[in-house]
Amino acid sequence: MARDYIQENLINTGRTIIKEKGVEFLTARKLSEASGYSVGTIYNQFGNMDNFILIQNYLTLDSLYHRFLKVKTDSAYERLNMYASVFAEFVMENRNFWFMVFNFHLKQSERTFSITYLRRISTMVMLIEKSFKELYPLLKSDKRHVSVQVLWICLFGVSSLLTTSSLESYSKVEQTKICKFLLNTYLTGIKVLEKLV
Amino acid sequence: MARDYIQENLINTGRTIIKEKGVEFLTARKLSEASGYSVGTIYNQFGNMDNFILIQNYLTLDSLYHRFLKVKTDSAYERLNMYASVFAEFVMENRNFWFMVFNFHLKQSERTFSITYLRRISTMVMLIEKSFKELYPLLKSDKRHVSVQVLWICLFGVSSLLTTSSLESYSKVEQTKICKFLLNTYLTGIKVLEKLV
DNA sequence: ACAAAAAATGAACGGTGTTCAATTTTTTTC
DNA sequence: GAAAAAAATTGAACACCGTTCATTTTTTGT
């Protein structure tokens, strides 16, 4: 009966743990203690901890998506730059959550994103593709598709590094600067390629 | 006395486990069973499992570095392309090992690469920077530095995604193609930027 | 050959995800 | 409203994990 309420409660408690301490502290027992529900209840509600974390990750992706939706500018170029900023900021603000999206790997199933993930992600890629269409009208659709995919993957890849402190210790280049520099160099490259084909 | 031999033996046994089954199966007990040494011996030799995995990761980075060293071409442009190919191939060939480099996070210490890692990595970045120097002689050294860093981080980021099957399920773009496309678009972009400044 | 030092051992500790018989709560039936 | 049936909740128990350290075995020095 109070099923939804319990789920909501557990998810919120989990999100607090992740935000404050990181996903490493999100264990069944700790979640149980923090929420007041027993370990068994967590398993009744979510099946297993992997699934619980998948739900958390979906929420994170959803949250990013809605930030993207707020970006509204006529200029496609400006819009893409804003996406990059929004993205970089989001990743930094939600470090622990974004870290989870990439660096949590399911124990029992494979190293894959779930179908639900993919749907959320592809809606975001479509936003970028739309901007590309405006910015590079001459670019053929298959070439455009590839170039959007590659850009997205790069940003994804960079962001996955941003969440760990690996970059801090390695590169002295500022983190938002990385995204911006990547985007602009890449877009410039595409502009040249557009004219060639 | 046979200390080195034991370490070598354990490392090799570990490498076999990782190659065949993945880092998830590399546990102290399984390594103990596979090698014939007791759990305690592993700890005598390596202190803890984190450290053992760090050593494994160092070997992986070293192996990549030596592949880079084999690349020899006069043309800087061609050389960079070969680096990209070598890199993509290496990552695919050594999926389980490369996966470890990124997706293994130390339990007790922080989410950082160790100093030894960094030294290995920066020698590789220097190879790229050298090629950049030849390819873009007009580019100021600080700009060049940033652009090399960003490219490297992108390749790193992409590769960290390549090791998981997240990309397979998400993008239909071929994996080596991603690296090549990224490189060429990026290099084209830099060429334009070089002339502007 | 024996004592001393060094190395190897594996049971034991506290943690993890997960299961499921036993309990408690809720709903239905009369 | 009480008894019976159904559903939900519980937490001890299981098999694993990394790690420790008293005990045993091996090696070394004399």
Side-chain angles (χ1 to χ4, degrees), chain B residues 3-16:
Chain B
R3 190 162 239 264
D4 281 2
Y5 178 71
I6 294 177
Q7 287 209 357
E8 205 182 306
N9 211 319
L10 283 170
I11 288 172
N12 289 338
T13 311
R15 242 171 153 65
T16 309

Side-chain angles (χ1 to χ4, degrees), chain A residues 71-82 131 134-135:
Chain A
V71 172
K72 274 174 188 160
T73 325
D74 282 342
S75 154
Y77 177 75
E78 221 175 284
R79 206 184 307 137
L80 283 169
N81 265 285
M82 285 172 79
S131 299
E134 292 174 45
L135 199 56

Side-chain angles (χ1 to χ4, degrees), chain A residues 2-14:
Chain A
R3 189 162 239 263
D4 280 1
Y5 179 70
I6 294 177
Q7 287 208 357
E8 204 181 308
N9 211 319
L10 283 169
I11 288 174
N12 288 338
T13 311

